[in-house]
Amino acid sequence: MFQIHFDSISTNFEVYHIFYVVLAVLGIYLIYSVRNMKKKGEISAFIISLEDLEKCRNKKGFINETANSMLVFGIITLLYGIFGIANSFLSAFGWGYEVLGISAFLIVYGWFSKELRKGIQKYCK
């Protein structure tokens, strides 16, 4: 007789799904924020603190300084989330994907953080 064993699905499996979905949504939001910042000329309060936002004397310069790194970070985050979801369901990419994916994500995050700090120091202090 055919039986389904629901207890074989671990809670870690579900946590990773949530983690990857959050990353994908974050990537979409970052890409959307870059588009809005360039279009409207307003800095997203999600990107920098309200204190720094109030001090920002050249918003256009800040946007131009940080938009490219933010866009790349958004794209990498979105792709990492999408491929992570696919890998969780299909085990299509294996553990190598995890190592490469988290490495790429952390490297791009570090670069984005550096560019963001540089932009805040240059235009908002």
Side-chain angles (χ1 to χ4, degrees):
M1 181 165 187
F2 179 73
Q3 292 181 348
I4 299 174
H5 298 281
F6 290 105
D7 59 335
S8 66
I9 299 173
S10 71
T11 55
N12 290 338
F13 183 73
E14 294 169 11
V15 170
Y16 278 111
H17 285 307
I18 294 168
F19 174 71
Y20 290 128
V21 168
V22 168
L23 283 177
V25 170
L26 174 63
I28 291 168
Y29 182 77
L30 288 169
I31 294 167
Y32 173 78
S33 291
V34 169
R35 184 183 152 277
N36 268 355
M37 287 189 336
K38 285 186 169 185
K39 185 176 178 181
K40 296 179 180 178
E42 291 294 319
I43 302 169
S44 172
F46 180 74
I47 305 306
I48 63 174
S49 69
L50 289 176
E51 180 183 317
D52 288 334
L53 187 58
E54 290 171 0
K55 293 178 188 177
C56 203
R57 57 189 185 278
N58 185 353
K59 291 181 180 181
K60 187 171 179 140
F62 177 82
I63 291 168
N64 290 335
E65 180 92 18
T66 60
N68 290 336
S69 61
M70 188 168 148
L71 182 61
V72 170
F73 180 54
I75 291 168
I76 293 296
T77 303
L78 175 61
L79 290 175
Y80 182 53
I82 289 170
F83 284 114
I85 292 167
N87 194 38
S88 294
F89 282 115
L90 306 174
S91 295
F93 309 113
W95 67 269
Y97 161 77
E98 292 296 331
V99 172
L100 290 175
I102 196 71
S103 298
F105 175 78
L106 291 174
I107 289 167
V108 173
Y109 173 72
W111 174 63
F112 167 67
S113 295
K114 182 182 78 96
E115 293 296 313
L116 186 64
R117 282 191 307 270
K118 188 168 74 172
I120 289 170
Q121 289 297 326
K122 190 172 181 179
Y123 297 104
C124 301
K125 291 288 179 182

